[in-house]
Structures are given as C-alpha cells and as structure tokens.
Amino acid sequence: MRKILVIGIGAGNPDHLTVQAVKALQTVDVFFVLDKGSVKQELVDLRASILAEHVTRPHRWVEGRDPERDRDPADYAATIDAWRRDRADVVLGLLAELGDDETGAFLVWGDPSLYDSTLAILDDLLERGAEFAVEVIPGVTSVAALTAGHRVSLNRVGRPVQITTGRRLAEGWPSDVDDVAVMLDARHSFEGVDPDTWIYWGAYLGMPDEILVSGRVGDVAAQIREVRTEARERKGWIMDTYLLRRP
C-alpha cells in the first residue's frame, strides 16, 4: 500500500530537523512540493538543501503549483475551504506519481499539526476514496523557535496560553488567558491591544535573516510595523509569529 509521510522540518533552520525526521527521509521514494512561485522560491530551495544533505538513496522530486487564493476575502472560512479543495486536487495529481508500494513525503514548514493544511488535505483525499497510509513526523514549531529566540517560556506557571490568528485577535483579546501566541498577522493586530502588554515578535525564525523584537507594545509597535514592512518589501514574503503577555 502507498504510504505518505508528513514530515515537520522546523521553522527555517535546517538544524531543526529531528533525528526521527532524518531517518524518515531515508525511506522516501518521492518527495512532493507545492511551488508557491518565484517570490517564495527560497522555501523550495531550503527543502532541496535538506534532501541534498540528508538523503543518500535514489528518490524523485515532484512539484505542483499551489493554487492562488484571495488574501482579503469577504467570507474567510468559505474562501479557505474552496482553496483547500483546489489544493487537494493538485495533491491528488501529485500522488499519481507514487507507485503501489512506494513511500511519498511532504516536507512541512514547522510542525504538521500547527497552522498547516497538509493533514486536512490528505484527510479530504481519503474521504474521496484515495488509498494510502499516513504517518506524521513532528517538527519544531514557529512558536517554539520564537520563544527559544527570545529565551522565554511559552506559558507562566499555572496559567493557560492560547494560540490564535491575527484576524481573531483583531476581534478582541481571548477570554480567560493573559498569554496569547499569534500566527501570521498581516494586519498588525497587536497595535490594538493594551500598550502595557509585552510582545515577543519574530520573523524568518531560524533563518539567517531572522528578526527579533521585544518590549512593551506601546514602545515597539511602530518599530515592528516598520521592520515588518521593510522585510516584506525586500524579500517579497514574510512569515512572522509573536507572543503577547499581559501584566
């Protein structure tokens, strides 16, 4: 039976690769990659460099074009659902390259269980009748890379922490928590929180051009907006994460 490995490769540093992931790479016949265009070629190149360093057995590399999606839709949930279906169609075409007893793999940025659609897409294909087994190899998340970079803990003793999105944060601070990790906030939603809130912000975590900023939101919000805008214009893309901590 065909087997699909979903391998977390960390937040950008090739050294984030775990021993389990390295061993898993050596069992793969076909590596699948969704190409996001020339702007994000750096992300494809990093995956290729990981294979060049760690994979010695013969293997194939198969690319598919990642579908475009509206970044500011009127109906966010419906748009994401439609985009995932389109993505699943592309992935289904890629899986046609996999032999009956071969192993394929997707190299997932960070960890497959956090802010990634690969597992949901594979579940969609299984529900459609596709036949393959799935195994998940965990990876270093962007949240873990962020807190490591700032040398802080994600949570405080006996207190909860919530992981959310910039879109949800803009609707209001989550109830019953004082520590909030936010993923990919293109709207700078941190500018709307209490200025005494502490922020630990990071972009390109683990990569050579990693950027870290921390301080009171009231003191560093403008700096983060400026640094983020400059970095996005320079590189053409940005992936950032931050932790908010209320006093």
Side-chain angles (χ1 to χ4, degrees):
M1 187 180 201
R2 297 185 299 174
K3 183 177 183 179
I4 305 297
L5 301 182
V6 186
I7 304 174
I9 60 172
N13 185 339
D15 289 343
H16 287 170
L17 213 63
T18 65
V19 174
Q20 182 185 15
V22 171
K23 290 180 178 179
L25 292 175
Q26 295 291 359
T27 70
V28 176
D29 300 296
V30 185
F31 290 94
F32 301 112
V33 178
L34 289 177
D35 179 12
K36 298 177 182 295
S38 59
V39 170
K40 292 189 176 180
Q41 182 62 35
E42 187 175 3
L43 305 183
V44 175
D45 293 343
L46 176 63
R47 289 171 168 85
S49 68
I50 287 174
L51 300 191
E53 181 173 353
H54 294 292
V55 180
T56 56
R57 62 170 287 170
H59 60 275
R60 307 192 298 282
W61 171 280
V62 177
E63 291 189 22
R65 182 66 176 181
D66 199 18
E68 297 290 337
R69 71 177 176 89
D70 186 353
R71 295 290 171 176
D72 192 23
D75 188 335
Y76 181 77
T79 299
I80 293 299
D81 286 344
W83 172 69
R84 283 188 173 181
R85 287 194 298 272
D86 291 343
R87 217 180 201 196
D89 291 340
V90 173
V91 170
L92 186 61
L94 296 180
L95 296 187
E97 301 290 333
L98 194 63
D100 290 341
D101 295 314
E102 289 190 315
T103 296
F106 291 90
L107 305 185
V108 172
W109 207 259
D111 181 88
S113 66
L114 182 64
Y115 216 85
D116 183 79
S117 64
T118 304
L119 293 178
I121 286 170
L122 294 178
D123 285 343
D124 179 9
L125 296 181
L126 290 171
E127 290 175 0
R128 297 187 196 183
E131 295 184 355
F132 51 83
V134 178
E135 181 179 344
V136 178
I137 311 298
V140 175
T141 69
S142 59
V143 175
L146 174 75
T147 53
H150 284 288
R151 301 181 299 282
V152 297
S153 297
L154 178 60
N155 70 301
R156 289 180 278 186
V157 177
R159 302 170 75 171
V161 61
Q162 180 168 322
I163 299 175
T164 189
T165 65
R167 185 181 296 271
R168 294 298 298 272
L169 180 65
E171 297 172 358
W173 188 278
S175 61
D176 300 324
V177 294
D178 290 320
D179 299 273
V180 179
V182 182
M183 311 289 291
L184 298 177
D185 178 14
R187 300 169 178 244
H188 308 101
S189 299
F190 54 84
E191 294 177 334
V193 306
D194 186 329
D196 285 330
T197 302
W198 203 269
I199 183 170
Y200 299 95
W201 178 87
Y204 313 115
L205 294 162
M207 303 182 76
D209 45 4
E210 176 182 86
I211 309 170
L212 298 172
V213 178
S214 65
R216 287 178 62 258
V217 168
D219 296 331
V220 301
Q223 177 189 355
I224 292 173
R225 174 183 277 272
E226 180 179 350
V227 167
R228 189 184 190 282
T229 300
E230 185 279 328
R232 180 175 173 77
E233 290 177 351
R234 172 169 46 86
K235 290 177 67 69
W237 63 277
I238 191 167
M239 288 195 294
D240 59 338
T241 306
Y242 57 85
L243 173 66
L244 293 173
R245 178 155 287 165
R246 294 200 297 199

